[in-house]
Amino acid sequence: MSAQRADWQRNHQRLLEVAAAVVARDGAGASLEAIAREAGIGSATLHRHFPSRHALLDEIFLDGVTALSRRADEPDDEPGRALRRWVEELTAYAASTRGLAATLATERASELDCRGILFDAATTLTRRAATTLRPGVTATDLLRLSTAISTATEGDPDTARRLIRLALAGVSLEEREPS
Amino acid sequence: MSAQRADWQRNHQRLLEVAAAVVARDGAGASLEAIAREAGIGSATLHRHFPSRHALLDEIFLDGVTALSRRADEPDDEPGRALRRWVEELTAYAASTRGLAATLATERASELDCRGILFDAATTLTRRAATTLRPGVTATDLLRLSTAISTATEGDPDTARRLIRLALAGVSLEEREPS
DNA sequence: ACCTGAACACCGTTCAAGT
DNA sequence: ACCTGAACACCGTTCAAGT
């Protein structure tokens, strides 16, 4: 590893830490100029490190999302319950992590970004729980519901949890076909 | 009515029409400068007519939302179905009307804005359907779910309809308490 | 190779000055 | 009374110039 590469890594790391703090404070729409300013670099340098806002946001949340995705592997003898619990945790986590919900709502650029990682986890859980699910329900549906709710309840994870539980269980007591 | 007041009304009406067109094209975050420019007025005048972005957006959508709220009064001998159908229509309408979902997601300023009107309609339907609903489910819950989904699916009313149906019916086939 | 200052084309908001 | 041009303090993006 060259000295330049080590330098770059240090700057990169520092930039990410500052960016995470600013996004936690100002949300997904935080000023990129403010991030560069607080990191002590030029805004042009920020743009070279991260070609888009989404690229920056995605890297900020990558560790937390990866940790959450691992929890999908915990064994559970009731796969339906395991799926519901994980989706509930994802929704509450995204609602309490400023900027994450908006990041997940953006179309992903690569297979290895936050959304791709969560999609893989959701797919595994959905497959295991397939027999307990209403026919036609996909991992994509569950992620869309979760992201929609966490986006709408940013900063209020209790409400997020309540709404995703409601959506997973259904609003009505009646027996019906959804279509 | 003075000539000045008539003038103002004409300008106001023209401004609203232009604003509606620009928002339909550019979304809820449309440039207020662009709206003023296309309406042929100064941006300062726009700000005097509408003290906030929300005030402008709300007035743009008022007619459509009022029409939708009236449909809650149509009689139905199955109040649970009536509620579900109306919430589904609201969600699809908001998803297909650019800028409306974001407007509904904003905390309301008055009792007579779009959100207040929809809240009244949802409250009526929810009360009629109370015995068919899971205990504790409120009109606010249903509006929050609808707005969350339509915000996340702007421009795709078919997906919006599919997701709100799923949320109303429940994802799982199992009998459970949502706790 | 890497970074930066400066320029560019935008914003929203406000207010003195005009009519 | 009403409207406007202009000013102000910001943006994101790009690039020639520096080291």
Side-chain angles (χ1 to χ4, degrees):
Chain A
M1 188 188 291
S2 72
Q4 279 169 359
R5 175 136 174 78
D7 257 17
W8 182 84
Q9 280 209 341
R10 199 164 50 234
N11 282 337
H12 186 83
Q13 190 53 37
R14 169 166 167 61
L15 188 49
L16 269 183
E17 282 163 16
V18 171
V22 175
V23 169
R25 190 187 66 205
D26 299 341
S31 160
L32 299 180
E33 289 232 328
I35 291 171
R37 208 182 306 127
E38 298 195 24
I41 62 171
S43 65
T45 304
L46 178 71
H47 277 86
R48 206 169 42 75
H49 278 283
F50 300 98
S52 68
R53 178 183 293 275
H54 183 257
L56 174 60
L57 289 169
D58 203 75
E59 200 160 329
I60 287 173
F61 298 120
L62 203 57
D63 287 350
V65 160
T66 301
L68 187 62
S69 79
R70 292 219 187 84
R71 305 187 61 179
D73 294 329
E74 290 169 9
D76 193 307
D77 44 341
E78 286 193 39
R81 190 183 60 192
L83 172 63
R84 291 192 301 271
R85 194 187 54 205
W86 186 83
V87 170
E88 189 181 318
E89 275 170 26
L90 163 63
T91 309
Y93 180 70
S96 63
T97 308
R98 194 113 199 257
L100 175 52
T103 301
L104 295 178
T106 306
E107 209 51 51
R108 73 169 179 278
S110 92
E111 290 291 314
L112 287 174
D113 69 356
C114 290
R115 216 167 111 163
I117 287 167
L118 292 174
F119 177 76
D120 286 347
T123 300
T124 300
L125 288 166
T126 303
R127 191 168 34 222
R128 284 189 198 138
T131 56
T132 75
L133 292 177
R134 209 175 276 279
V137 173
T138 66
T140 299
D141 291 335
L142 298 176
L143 280 188
R144 272 198 287 228
L145 276 177
S146 172
T147 301
I149 288 170
S150 57
T151 301
T153 58
E154 186 165 79
D156 186 355
D158 290 339
T159 299
R161 207 178 276 275
R162 171 170 158 67
L163 288 181
I164 191 67
R165 277 187 164 174
L166 203 54
L168 294 177
V171 163
S172 172
L173 293 172
E174 298 170 5
E175 279 299 318
R176 267 163 305 97
E177 284 309 303
S179 125
Chain B
M1 185 189 295
S2 71
Q4 279 169 358
R5 175 138 174 76
D7 257 15
W8 181 85
Q9 281 209 339
R10 198 165 50 236
N11 281 338
H12 187 82
Q13 190 53 37
R14 168 164 168 61
L15 188 48
L16 269 183
E17 282 162 17
V18 171
V22 174
V23 168
R25 190 187 66 204
D26 299 341
S31 159
L32 299 179
E33 289 232 327
I35 291 171
R37 208 183 306 128
E38 297 194 23
I41 62 172
S43 64
T45 304
L46 178 71
H47 278 86
R48 205 170 42 75
H49 278 283
F50 301 98
S52 68
R53 178 183 293 274
H54 184 256
L56 174 60
L57 289 169
D58 204 74
E59 199 159 330
I60 287 174
F61 298 120
L62 203 57
D63 287 351
V65 160
T66 301
L68 187 62
S69 78
R70 293 219 188 84
R71 306 188 57 179
D73 294 329
E74 290 169 9
D76 194 306
D77 44 342
E78 286 192 39
R81 191 183 58 193
L83 172 62
R84 291 192 301 272
R85 194 186 53 205
W86 186 82
V87 170
E88 188 181 319
E89 273 169 27
L90 163 62
T91 309
Y93 180 71
S96 63
T97 307
R98 193 114 200 255
L100 174 53
T103 301
L104 296 178
T106 306
E107 210 51 52
R108 73 169 179 278
S110 92
E111 291 292 314
L112 287 175
D113 70 356
C114 290
R115 218 168 111 162
I117 287 168
L118 292 175
F119 177 76
D120 286 348
T123 299
T124 300
L125 287 167
T126 303
R127 191 168 34 224
R128 284 188 198 139
T131 57
T132 75
L133 292 177
R134 210 175 275 279
V137 173
T138 66
T140 299
D141 290 334
L142 297 176
L143 280 188
R144 272 199 286 227
L145 276 176
S146 173
T147 301
I149 288 171
S150 57
T151 301
T153 58
E154 186 165 79
D156 186 357
D158 290 339
T159 299
R161 207 178 275 275
R162 170 170 159 66
L163 287 181
I164 192 67
R165 278 186 163 174
L166 202 54
L168 294 177
V171 163
S172 172
L173 292 171
E174 298 170 4
E175 277 299 318
R176 268 161 304 98
E177 283 309 302
S179 153

